[in-house]
Amino acid sequence: MAKITQELLTWYDRERRDLPWRAAPGQRADPYHVWLSEVMLQQTTVATVKAYYRKFLSLWPTVANLAAAPQEQVLKEWAGLGYYARARNLHKCARVVVDQHGGHFPQTEEGLRALPGIGEYTAAAIAAIAFDVPAVVVDGNIERVVARLYRIEDQLPAAKKPIKAATKIITPERRPGDFAQAMMDLGSGICTPRNPKCLLCPISGMCAAQAAGDMERFPVKAAKKQKPIRRAISFWLEHDGHLLLERRPDKGLLGGMPGLFSTPWEERDTFPEKTEWADHAPATSAWSVGNTIAKHTFTHFHLETKLATAKAQTRLNIKGGFWHPISDMEAVGLPTAFAKIVKLAK
């Protein structure tokens, strides 16, 4: 076990990825930087996160700066990253850290897990990388590396328990953060889901799956379920160069984000007819429904949307709605799902 750990750390010192939130090998990273990056990286690629991370740090260099920002601005800058509950919890967590912890993140996994939006993995990652706590860090990349290393036959999610137990055995007391990041880098660039580069792997000689030649079988996963399709009509109501948008409720999908008024997103075989969607329109008008379809995929379903367009005679005051210049749509921070729908009108 010690050999696996040492080989990985030696490899990491030589081959580590240069990421903006990382400290040099053997040094502690800023807890704020680690936390911000880990929240952004949930369900999102490193390539996508880099630009958002730099933008957030330029706007809010410290956790106190972020806590003082209006939630609406934080959500606006988050637009495009998806999983918007993360942004709401990010802002809430910053305020708790400032108000209840004097602007300093707790240094234990237990203390970190008590913060809004921080689960088991994120708490372990922050504790290990920022505070040198020998926490057991298991993300998707590490899960794959360990499942192959020990050829763990259990099917996910049942495999998570033995994978974590195996990871604990090889997690060192010294440099646990670097070890966790070495495992992440190994899974990201070498022990990939398809066509793993075993010849470049520093621990391939100790890998049970590599010895058996069935690396791609691990981790063992259940067959994917087909995602259902939800269909809806969204409403484009404009007046004098302005578009009517709504601010979605804080709770629920895309909570707190701006978007178009729409019919409910329901699983159905066809799009709603006018008799079904008329009551959901934000105003009575001469609506015209186009045939082009905007498509977007969420974690658990596909969304297909058609756009109903109309012009208002006056700038109506609609509950939950606000008007925004059509020429400056990028400034409003639309989630990707709605940005695709807006393209239908343009």
Side-chain angles (χ1 to χ4, degrees), residues 48-72:
T48 298
V49 164
K50 284 181 180 180
Y52 281 88
Y53 172 82
R54 291 189 176 102
K55 179 173 63 175
F56 265 64
L57 272 193
S58 68
L59 292 170
W60 305 295
T62 68
V63 68
N65 297 140
L66 181 59
Q71 178 180 277
E72 185 175 315

Side-chain angles (χ1 to χ4, degrees), residues 170-238:
I170 58 176
T171 296
E173 292 285 332
R174 179 177 172 273
R175 298 181 66 187
D178 284 348
F179 174 78
Q181 291 174 114
M183 293 282 277
M184 294 174 191
D185 284 5
L186 189 72
S188 174
I190 291 180
C191 195
T192 49
R194 296 286 176 266
N195 302 313
K197 306 174 184 66
C198 296
L199 290 176
L200 301 178
C201 178
I203 56 173
S204 62
M206 294 167 270
C207 177
Q210 198 277 335
D214 58 358
M215 299 80 69
E216 291 189 16
R217 191 164 72 83
F218 299 94
V220 181
K221 298 179 180 179
K224 284 188 177 181
K225 294 182 180 179
Q226 188 172 358
K227 292 182 180 180
I229 298 175
R230 299 184 186 180
R231 293 183 170 90
I233 302 293
S234 288
F235 302 98
W236 175 285
L237 184 64
E238 64 176 272

Side-chain angles (χ1 to χ4, degrees), residues 323-344:
W323 294 87
H324 188 82
I326 296 173
S327 61
D328 194 26
M329 291 303 295
E330 290 185 1
V332 76
L334 287 175
T336 304
F338 284 112
K340 290 179 179 179
I341 297 169
V342 165
K343 286 183 179 180
L344 298 184

Side-chain angles (χ1 to χ4, degrees), residues 12 16 19-24 27-42 49 53-54 56-57 60-63 66 78 86 90 93 97 105-107 112 115 117-133 135 137 176-178 180-181 184:
Y12 180 73
R16 65 188 289 274
L19 300 176
W21 46 84
R22 281 187 175 173
Q27 296 183 14
R28 290 190 182 184
D30 186 313
Y32 175 58
H33 296 177
V34 178
W35 166 71
L36 182 60
S37 65
E38 287 295 343
V39 174
M40 288 184 167
L41 285 164
Q42 294 167 12
V49 164
Y53 172 82
R54 291 189 176 102
F56 265 64
L57 272 193
W60 305 295
T62 68
V63 68
L66 181 59
W78 191 275
R86 292 183 299 167
L90 185 86
C93 181
V97 169
F105 283 86
Q107 297 189 22
L112 289 163
L115 297 175
I118 295 185
E120 181 179 345
Y121 161 74
T122 305
I126 297 171
I129 298 169
F131 300 118
D132 277 341
V133 175
V137 182
D178 284 348
Q181 291 174 114
M184 294 174 191

Side-chain angles (χ1 to χ4, degrees), residues 284-314:
T284 301
S285 191
W287 294 100
S288 175
V289 180
N291 291 320
T292 310
I293 300 172
K295 298 181 179 182
H296 185 73
T297 297
F298 290 92
T299 305
H300 301 298
F301 66 93
H302 301 292
L303 176 66
E304 294 188 355
T305 312
K306 286 186 176 181
L307 189 63
T309 60
K311 292 190 176 182
Q313 298 300 313
T314 60

